[in-house]
Amino acid sequence: MGISRRFTSLLIYITPLLIISILVAVTALKRNSDIIANSQNEAAWYVLQLHKEYAEFHLQLHRYAVGTSDHNDMMLQYEILWSRFKTILNNTHISHLYHFDGAYHQISKQFTYIQSIEPQLIEFEPGDPGAAIINDVKDHYENLVIFLSHKFRLSSGDLLKRVEATHTMKLLVYFLLCAIVLLGGILLWALWRESSAMRKLAMSDTLTGIHSRLWLNQHLKELVSKQQPFRFYLIDLDGFKTINDTLGHHAGDELLKTVAARLAVLSGEHYHVARMGGDEFAVIESLAVQHEINISQKLLNSFQQPVILNGKSYPISASIGSSEYPLKASNVSEVLQQADFAMYEVKQQGKNGVIHYEGSAVPNGTAPTLKRFTKSL
């Protein structure tokens, strides 16, 4: 029982940890999925716009160099490109750009270059299509295009890592779900087993091992609810207090266990034995099936043999009262009252005997009337 309880406690601690692990894994899975989705949407759109504006600026710069465009058109396109860089670098909607190694740094580097050429653009004169600034802008543009095209392809190293990480997280989530289902099943089984053990313990008398008073009350209610006829015997040991006081509680406990063992021999298909508490026992005799056994005499015979306590032999006896459902009693309360009245009548008549209640069933809430008793010795 101790091992089972420790195991159950361990499972109770482990299960929440697994649930937290699943939540963390699902969060990571969602984050990776969002990065992949956003990388193919918002960031990709901004990067494509940057390509377009950069290409347009290079074209306007070339056209201005050959004299087919004026300086204002070229500078206007430069300002547009400048604004595009700034938008990408400062826009919070594409913050996932940071998840691509070197992307933000490369774009920042290109922006720094674009900012640095502004004085040259202001002083640049048309008529020189082979000017160094044109080739320089072309080289930077092509390098940026190659870098970003590689970074934002689904087959790129960065995105492949994210895809692989997402797949790994998926497997981890599946594993954790299986683990928590398994542990949950084990936990339920452990709790059910512990509950069954506790119920069995509650239904058994801890001292004698026979049925307890709780079991007795439930069984009586079950018999009455099913309207199954039975005879109930209430057994009270004679002189138990004297033995308990003179020989000690240990001797008293040994006496109770001996009596319980003798009565337990009667347990079977038609008879059930229970301890009501103290020195009182009970026997339920099923009357649903006819049988030819004198249970009254068998009960008395259980007390004919003396018991050995502290190395000495002591005679024992019992006062037994019985009642019958539904012939004499109409409910559990009446059964117990009538058997109790009959048992006390045995006490009054000198103990060591059985008296069957012979009155009639009375309405609920009314004390039963003792009309006649018969004593079997």
Side-chain angles (χ1 to χ4, degrees):
M1 179 68 70
I3 295 176
S4 175
R5 189 166 297 174
R6 286 195 296 270
F7 179 67
T8 303
S9 300
L10 182 62
L11 287 178
I12 291 175
Y13 283 112
I14 291 177
T15 302
L17 291 178
L18 280 176
I19 294 175
I20 293 173
S21 300
I22 289 177
L23 294 176
V24 172
V26 168
T27 301
L29 179 63
K30 184 178 183 305
R31 184 173 63 250
N32 278 326
S33 299
D34 289 344
I35 289 171
I36 293 173
N38 291 334
S39 299
Q40 294 300 305
N41 292 289
E42 294 173 349
W45 185 85
Y46 279 102
V47 167
L48 287 175
Q49 291 298 312
L50 180 61
H51 286 187
K52 177 178 173 297
E53 304 297 350
Y54 214 145
E56 186 66 27
F57 169 65
H58 178 261
L59 177 62
Q60 286 290 345
L61 184 60
H62 180 73
R63 290 176 62 186
Y64 174 68
V66 299
T68 58
S69 177
D70 62 27
H71 188 267
N72 289 333
D73 291 337
M74 184 266 293
M75 290 302 296
L76 176 62
Q77 190 58 46
Y78 169 77
E79 294 294 338
I80 293 174
L81 177 61
W82 192 93
S83 298
R84 182 64 63 188
F85 269 108
K86 190 170 182 180
T87 299
I88 290 175
L89 294 174
N90 297 333
N91 195 334
T92 58
H93 292 290
I94 55 171
S95 58
H96 52 271
L97 196 66
Y98 291 95
H99 294 290
F100 295 86
D101 294 337
Y104 188 85
H105 174 73
Q106 183 67 20
I107 294 175
S108 297
K109 183 179 177 182
Q110 287 286 342
F111 185 39
T112 300
Y113 166 72
I114 291 298
Q115 289 176 306
S116 68
I117 64 173
E118 183 174 1
Q120 298 179 55
L121 294 176
I122 294 174
E123 300 297 332
F124 185 51
E125 296 291 338
D128 187 6
I133 189 174
I134 297 177
N135 294 328
D136 199 22
V137 168
K138 180 181 178 183
D139 291 340
H140 278 80
Y141 166 68
E142 290 177 348
N143 290 337
L144 181 63
V145 169
I146 292 172
F147 176 81
L148 294 178
S149 296
H150 171 74
K151 280 292 175 184
F152 286 88
R153 284 201 314 268
L154 189 58
S155 59
S156 70
D158 295 87
L159 283 178
L160 276 179
K161 289 178 183 177
R162 295 292 173 182
V163 172
E164 291 172 358
T166 300
H167 180 67
T168 302
M169 285 295 174
K170 254 169 132 182
L171 293 178
L172 179 60
V173 169
Y174 291 149
F175 171 77
L176 291 173
L177 284 174
C178 291
I180 198 169
V181 168
L182 178 62
L183 287 179
I186 295 175
L187 178 60
L188 289 176
W189 173 80
L191 291 174
W192 171 83
R193 183 178 177 183
E194 185 172 349
S195 175
S196 299
M198 294 298 292
R199 177 177 175 80
K200 184 177 179 181
L201 185 63
M203 293 296 178
S204 300
D205 181 61
T206 55
L207 176 64
T208 62
I210 61 176
H211 293 308
S212 66
R213 183 169 192 147
L214 177 61
W215 178 91
L216 178 68
N217 290 335
Q218 291 190 4
H219 191 63
L220 288 174
K221 290 178 181 177
E222 183 180 347
L223 291 175
V224 170
S225 66
K226 294 180 180 179
Q227 296 184 344
Q228 294 183 2
F230 64 90
R231 184 176 289 115
F232 176 79
Y233 294 87
L234 177 61
I235 304 169
D236 185 86
L237 299 183
D238 298 328
F240 173 76
K241 186 176 184 303
T242 302
I243 291 178
N244 209 37
D245 292 342
T246 58
L247 301 181
H249 292 291
H250 176 72
D253 290 344
E254 288 300 316
L255 172 59
L256 293 175
K257 287 191 281 188
T258 301
V259 171
R262 293 180 183 182
L263 293 175
V265 176
L266 299 174
S267 295
E269 182 180 358
H270 304 298
Y271 306 99
H272 297 283
V273 178
R275 182 186 175 201
M276 296 192 68
D279 60 341
E280 288 188 340
F281 294 84
V283 173
I284 300 174
E285 177 186 7
S286 174
L287 302 178
V289 179
Q290 294 295 326
H291 51 86
E292 298 178 357
I293 299 178
N294 187 348
I295 184 65
S296 299
Q297 192 59 47
K298 289 178 73 70
L299 287 175
L300 288 175
N301 291 341
S302 299
F303 298 93
Q304 284 185 352
Q305 297 296 324
V307 296
I308 306 300
L309 301 173
N310 296 340
K312 294 182 180 181
S313 177
Y314 292 90
I316 58 171
S317 65
S319 299
I320 305 171
S322 77
S323 180
E324 187 175 329
Y325 171 87
L327 183 62
K328 304 300 178 183
S330 60
N331 54 53
V332 174
S333 179
E334 286 184 6
V335 167
L336 296 176
Q337 284 182 324
Q338 291 172 4
D340 189 60
F341 274 45
M343 184 268 291
Y344 274 103
E345 184 64 21
V346 177
K347 294 280 189 185
Q348 294 295 323
Q349 296 183 19
K351 305 179 181 179
N352 190 27
V354 179
I355 287 183
H356 301 284
Y357 182 86
E358 293 295 339
S360 301
V362 295
N364 290 339
T366 304
T369 302
L370 298 180
K371 291 185 177 179
R372 183 169 56 88
F373 296 94
T374 60
K375 183 174 181 181
S376 301
L377 295 174

